[in-house]
Amino acid sequence: MDDRTFRRAMGKFATGVTVVTTEYQGEAKGMTANAFMSVSLEPKLVVVSIGHKARMHDIVKQTGKFAVNILRRDQEELSRLFAGQLKEERHVPFDWVNGHPILPEALANILCNVHSSYVAGDHTLYFGEVTDIFMKEEPGDPLLFFEGQYRSIGQ
C-alpha cells in the first residue's frame, strides 16, 4: 500500500489533541501530538510518539521530562500554533510547575519524567512516568482530530 492510503486509514481513528511541552535552555518548547495514550497504572505510565524529524524529539531526549496538555474544544488555535501551521509570532502564556511549562487552560496537564524510550520506524515512543496531574474543575469538551480535521463531540 502507498503512504497516502496508510495515512487515510489511520485518520479514521478519532483522537484527542495534546500539546507536549518541556523546558529547554530556560524556555518553554512544545509540539502538537495526537499519538498519545495511557499505558499502565502501576507504575503510572503514558506514551507519546515523536517523529525523528521533529525538533521536540531531541529536546525530550535531552531533558528527560515532558508534560502532556490535553486540549479543550476551543484551543484549536494553540494546536495549530504548536503544529507549525501558524507562522506569525504569538505569545503563549505558560504556568510553570516543578520545572514543567504547562498550558493553564488545558483540560488536563500530565507531568512526566521519561521512563524509557523505544525507536519504532521513523518515530520514538517516549514512555513517561507520571509525576503529577492537574485538571480543571469546570467541565469542558476535548478538541478532537478525525479524517485530517479538527472536530468536537457531537460534530
Side-chain angles (χ1 to χ4, degrees):
M1 89 205 65
D2 62 17
D3 291 351
R4 182 181 168 118
T5 299
F6 182 79
R7 290 178 68 99
R8 283 186 55 228
M10 295 305 104
K12 300 293 184 186
F13 183 70
T15 67
V17 181
T18 73
V19 171
V20 176
T21 55
T22 194
E23 178 274 330
Y24 181 68
Q25 298 180 345
E27 293 183 15
K29 301 292 183 182
M31 67 168 274
T32 298
N34 64 346
F36 160 76
M37 69 178 190
S38 64
V39 175
S40 169
L41 281 174
E42 192 54 47
K44 291 173 180 55
L45 297 175
V46 298
V47 66
V48 294
S49 178
I50 301 178
H52 293 161
K53 292 180 182 177
R55 283 182 245 138
M56 281 291 283
H57 179 270
D58 291 338
I59 291 173
V60 170
K61 185 176 184 178
Q62 289 178 36
T63 64
K65 65 181 182 180
F66 61 89
V68 178
N69 302 270
I70 299 173
L71 298 187
R72 286 190 337 254
R73 173 178 58 191
D74 63 352
Q75 292 181 306
E76 179 180 332
E77 185 174 306
L78 271 178
S79 174
R80 290 184 183 281
L81 178 67
F82 284 102
Q85 296 172 348
L86 303 178
K87 299 306 178 195
E88 61 272 5
E89 283 290 318
R90 305 268 173 109
H91 171 73
V92 177
F94 290 97
D95 284 348
W96 289 82
V97 179
N98 299 326
H100 290 271
I102 61 172
L103 296 170
E105 298 303 318
L107 287 175
N109 314 98
I110 304 163
L111 283 55
C112 304
N113 290 326
V114 173
H115 174 275
S116 55
S117 62
Y118 180 78
V119 174
D122 58 4
H123 281 62
T124 297
L125 304 176
Y126 285 101
F127 292 83
E129 185 162 7
V130 178
T131 59
D132 216 338
I133 291 178
F134 300 92
M135 289 185 288
K136 286 290 174 202
E137 296 284 329
E138 61 274 2
D141 288 336
L143 180 61
L144 302 177
F145 200 70
F146 177 69
E147 293 187 327
Q149 295 184 27
Y150 291 98
R151 308 284 180 103
S152 60
I153 293 174
Q155 181 185 26

